[in-house]
Amino acid sequence: MKNSIAERVSDFLKNHPPFDLLDAKKLLNIAEEVVIIYLEKGDVLFKQGTSFNNHFYMVRNGGISLTYSNNNTQEVVSISDAGDIFGVRPLIAQENYKLTASAHEESIVYGIPIDSFRLAAENNSKVYKYLITAFATNAYDAYTTKETHEIFVDYLPSNSRDIANFQTANYTKKPVTCGVNSSLKEAALKMSKNKIGYIVVIDDTKKPVGIITNSDIKNKIATGIFPIDTVVTNIMSSPVITNKRNLTVADGQLQMIKHNIAHLCITKDGTVNSKLVGVLTNHHILVALGNNPTAILKEIIRAKRTKKLRNARLKADTLLKNYLEQNIPITHITKVISKINDALTVKAIEIALPKMPTPPPVKFSWLAIGSQGRKEQLLYTDQDNALVFEDVPEAKYEETQAYFLELSKYVTKSLNKIGFEYCEADMMASNSAWCKSISEWKSQFKEWILTPGEEAVLLSSIFFDYSMVYGSQNLTDEITDTIYEALEESNLFYKLLAQDAVKSPSPLGFFKQFLVEKNGEQKDMFNIKNRGLMPLVDAARLLVLTKHIKGINNTFERYEKLAEIEPANKELYESCSYAFKALTKFKTKQGLQHNNSGKFIDLETLSKEEKLKLKRCFKPIDEIQKTLILRFDLKTLPI
């Protein structure tokens, strides 16, 4: 007699990895022993710290939250949807659970018997590759990396490629060192004897105080600036950048990119105030990763022509695809690709400057605005930028502005050749409206804030997301200070921004169907940017402005900061952060798949599970918009 329940379970499992890698008979054997678990919202399946059991799990319907508790606070690590597996720890490593699994909503979960699964998957390397990847993704020290804003696991990988980025980095355990009173000659002899290109300077307690590399010797000794017998403290780079043991390859790579270094000192507690225990070098990263952003950045730095920059950006696209296929967290991906995009802009400016008849007449700052300003530009999109220069006498203004307009035309032309299209609305530094002195920019922002209108709100939604890419940071800081000073004088501006943030309602209609375009070339397509991402972007911008939070432009980082300072709304803000990451990842994958911006999606090409994952991201949009309506009393706003 057939077991109809087991057959239905088997029919579901066979459509999801890793069960799609098993033959039908073995899969049915597993299905016959599957435990079907019904959970109401809030029910707990297993708790952090409890002993492992003899099942791992797959979501059949609904959603399961995986959370980590620390110091009476609870962090949402991920939300597993239909077809996702979780609780794999007992299968891979027989340890107590590190996370708590509870029902995010009414759910049905399949408990997969580990012994039966092992028997069915015996000698199937593809199955175990997938499970190890899934385990590494969820088992990564999420609560630690959450604190450093480096990672947020959204959902499980769709294939089982290399996970080297999140393996523990190998580093030199016995680094070559010298004391603070050593001479450079003594240090150089040690370097030569050990055939290495660096030496760490330590104090009497073996704490690292500096580092000397071959470049330091070349630039400071060979040039005659210091004699060979000088004390090492005269030429060392200090302070050193440190990290703790057990850091991942990804973390080490990000630190090196961020600080533009090739050596990371590993200390007992991760700070400069503890004993040196090792050194992670760029070579270690290269060995671990092979194709990596460090090599791309070096190629950009060495480039002399725009063509070389385009080649580097094409490599970044390949890197982006690989990262997505490996299910590298979107937080890491955005940081790396943003660093590459900024480096391309810097190099475009450096290539343009020698083409000018004279050096810049005054200091200036090149600003990335919009998605690049938020460090969220992953795909090729049109360029949005602006330029601010120091004040000059009125008689010199026109001449100075003309200089920077000409420079900007060279730069935007290079960016266009690299692959970033010209902005259709001409929001670029090559437009005199967006190339101004610091005083003019201050007046512009004050006008937008103090006498707001529809155009002011539209423009501020673009120009309030900016970051300095090249030039004077002081000029950028002056603009920021002016914005917050003006905001103190205008409550109406906040209301107008809030009204703009809720103008695009939840992406789902009354019957929970996707709201699609009604006419035009994109008829029946879903606009994931305007209906999904931008409401979250607009809400985050508005809320950080009201809190006077400076220096955080990235949308998911804004929500994480809001969760920190508004504990009462912590769950909502974390949900918004998660939704933004998941939607960004989805849009990027669609863009790479169809060789476009990923903005419009043909829903017919999506699987049921993909649609479910999208819909899960829309609830926070509805909730954050309701919060804005209440907080800014939008019903009383004159229309």
Side-chain angles (χ1 to χ4, degrees), residues 306-353:
T306 302
K307 183 179 179 181
K308 294 288 186 182
L309 296 180
R310 179 170 176 78
N311 291 338
R313 186 56 179 83
L314 289 172
K315 290 181 181 178
D317 251 12
T318 301
L319 185 71
L320 175 61
K321 291 175 185 176
N322 290 339
Y323 275 2
L324 288 169
E325 288 174 353
Q326 295 166 24
N327 200 51
I328 303 305
I330 199 71
T331 46
H332 181 77
I333 297 174
T334 54
K335 288 176 187 293
V336 170
I337 300 300
S338 294
K339 185 71 177 179
I340 290 172
N341 287 339
D342 285 354
L344 287 167
T345 304
V346 168
K347 195 63 183 182
I349 295 170
E350 290 176 347
I351 290 174
L353 282 169

Side-chain angles (χ1 to χ4, degrees), residues 354-400:
K355 297 177 181 178
M356 299 298 291
T358 64
V362 292
K363 291 181 181 179
F364 72 99
S365 182
W366 184 278
L367 304 180
I369 58 178
S371 61
Q372 187 183 358
R374 294 191 303 272
K375 310 294 184 184
E376 295 166 2
Q377 187 182 38
L378 295 178
L379 300 168
Y380 282 115
T381 58
D382 58 353
Q383 49 179 298
D384 296 308
N385 43 61
L387 188 144
V388 52
F389 55 87
E390 281 184 322
D391 286 331
V392 294
E394 187 175 348
K396 287 281 188 181
Y397 187 89
E398 188 174 334
E399 176 187 340
T400 305

Side-chain angles (χ1 to χ4, degrees), residues 601-614:
I601 296 174
D602 181 358
L603 296 172
E604 295 302 315
T605 65
L606 303 184
S607 67
K608 182 179 179 181
E609 285 70 32
E610 286 174 322
K611 290 178 183 177
L612 283 172
K613 286 180 177 180
L614 270 182

Side-chain angles (χ1 to χ4, degrees), residues 88-95 114 118 128 131-136:
V88 187
R89 181 172 294 276
L91 181 64
I92 305 297
Q94 295 187 343
E95 302 171 347
I114 289 175
R118 280 182 174 146
Y128 278 98
L131 288 169
I132 290 170
T133 304
F135 173 70

